[in-house]
Amino acid sequence: MSFDPQLLSQIEWVAAGFGVLNIAFLIFRSHWNYLFGLVMVSLYFFIFWEQRLYAESVLQVFFFVAQGWGWWLWLRVGGEGSRVDVGWLDWRSRWVWLFAMAAISLNLSWAMAKWTTASMPWIDTPIAVFSVGAQLLLAFRRIENWVLWIVIDLASIGLYIYRDLEPTAGLYGGFLVMSLIGLREWIAAERARAVPA
């Protein structure tokens, strides 16, 4: 499948718009973030595939499933009209998550470099793996997801500029700012919940 570059650019701009809406709703802990996320990841599957960023492309399939699962989880704990509660991982869990994501990243990067035509497997693959971890932590409403997204956004900006995906690099610049806001908002929400009434 091959897209006309102009059409691909238009799809990229639409996907970026849905991405901004996704994160905006996410910052305020609204389950509606998932609706916009589903559309965004569907479009980005095709964009990344065309750029031979295969790990990023396949990651969008995971994100599609994870968006639906996360939406279901958030509706179960927060209801349709309320904001969900958030919390932190304990220190042991943080180290387990970090070690697992690093080990998987190294092994999959090696496999992608050896057996595929991926253009930047040693950058693309860790971004994909850590994004999976961040998405899972997001579904479980753990504040650490924002820390991971900040690191992922920084790495992604450089990758997308290098691959001439300027609208997507700009989107991830926006994601970076929004992730910083999201981290602040979720920390404040957790502290407010922890204070006895």
Side-chain angles (χ1 to χ4, degrees), residues 73-111:
L73 282 179
W74 280 38
L75 285 173
R76 283 189 56 205
V77 300
E80 290 194 21
S82 62
R83 295 180 179 188
V84 296
D85 289 331
V86 296
W88 294 97
L89 289 172
D90 60 67
W91 278 102
R92 182 173 184 224
S93 297
R94 286 179 190 159
W95 284 110
V96 168
W97 276 88
L98 186 60
F99 178 79
M101 288 183 293
I104 293 168
S105 291
L106 286 172
N107 285 293
L108 284 180
S109 293
W110 176 82

Side-chain angles (χ1 to χ4, degrees), residues 41-179:
V41 300
S42 299
L43 296 174
Y44 269 115
F45 172 84
F46 297 104
I47 294 164
F48 291 140
W49 191 267
E50 284 294 304
Q51 290 293 318
R52 293 187 308 127
L53 296 172
Y54 301 132
E56 290 283 316
S57 187
V58 172
L59 177 64
Q60 304 313 302
V61 175
F62 163 79
F63 279 156
F64 189 85
V65 173
Q67 294 276 346
W69 175 65
W71 201 352
W72 177 76
L73 282 179
W74 280 38
L75 285 173
R76 283 189 56 205
V77 300
E80 290 194 21
S82 62
R83 295 180 179 188
V84 296
D85 289 331
V86 296
W88 294 97
L89 289 172
D90 60 67
W91 278 102
R92 182 173 184 224
S93 297
R94 286 179 190 159
W95 284 110
V96 168
W97 276 88
L98 186 60
F99 178 79
M101 288 183 293
I104 293 168
S105 291
L106 286 172
N107 285 293
L108 284 180
S109 293
W110 176 82
M112 293 291 278
K114 185 168 178 65
W115 289 308
T116 75
T117 60
S119 62
M120 301 186 73
W122 292 98
I123 297 171
D124 179 34
T125 304
I127 289 172
V129 170
F130 277 79
S131 295
V132 168
Q135 188 69 38
L136 292 172
L137 289 172
L138 169 62
F140 292 124
R141 302 170 327 278
R142 293 297 169 247
I143 296 169
E144 289 85 355
N145 88 85
W146 290 111
V147 176
L148 288 178
W149 287 123
I150 289 165
V151 173
I152 292 162
D153 292 341
L154 288 167
S156 296
I157 290 166
L159 174 64
Y160 299 144
I161 289 171
Y162 182 79
R163 295 299 296 170
D164 296 323
L165 292 169
E166 285 81 13
T168 302
L171 172 65
Y172 275 74
F175 280 175
L176 177 59
V177 171
M178 295 174 86
S179 292

